[in-house]
Amino acid sequence: MARNTRPYAASRDAGALDRMRRVNDLLRDTISEVVAHELKDPRLDLALLSVTEVRASRDLRNATVYISAMSAPDSTAEHQTDAAEAAVDALTHAAPFIHRTIRRRLHMKRVPWPAFELDRRIAAAAEVQERIRGLKESQRAS
């Protein structure tokens, strides 16, 4: 066997996947910090606004940033949706500032451009919980 060959190609791919996972986690933490402490937009004054996941492209030119946004718990579902969409608009508007800030903080050759999207997984999970709760109550009533 030659000296510079690897017995398994998977070990090389695992290293690249691990590196991308670490980059995504670092970006998520840094963007969360910037959004929480440095942005002053009234559309971002919500009960809960968090960066749930970041998926950077392999070439680190772009990153999709998934956010979860919820307004007051007693608000209607329509108001929740409107507030979440307004938060995505505000973050998209602030993308140049966020990119500049994370570029200054992180010592990376290339910092990806953030594109914000609403993470619908949390809302879907809450809807499933509501349906389960409704089924339990209907079973108790019958």
Side-chain angles (χ1 to χ4, degrees), residues 16-80:
L17 291 175
D18 187 49
R19 185 170 37 256
M20 283 307 296
R21 184 186 53 76
R22 286 183 287 143
V23 167
N24 288 335
D25 289 346
L26 179 64
L27 287 169
R28 184 193 66 225
D29 294 343
T30 307
I31 292 170
S32 294
E33 193 174 301
V34 171
V35 168
H37 300 294
E38 298 188 29
L39 291 181
K40 306 292 185 224
D41 192 315
R43 295 175 288 182
L44 299 175
D45 291 335
L46 300 169
L48 175 67
L49 177 67
S50 62
V51 177
T52 57
E53 184 180 5
V54 174
R55 291 184 189 162
S57 62
R58 289 184 63 110
D59 63 357
L60 293 179
R61 292 193 187 276
N62 300 303
T64 304
V65 181
Y66 294 94
I67 65 158
S68 172
M70 298 179 82
S71 57
D74 57 343
S75 61
T76 65
E78 184 178 316
H79 183 265
Q80 293 273 357

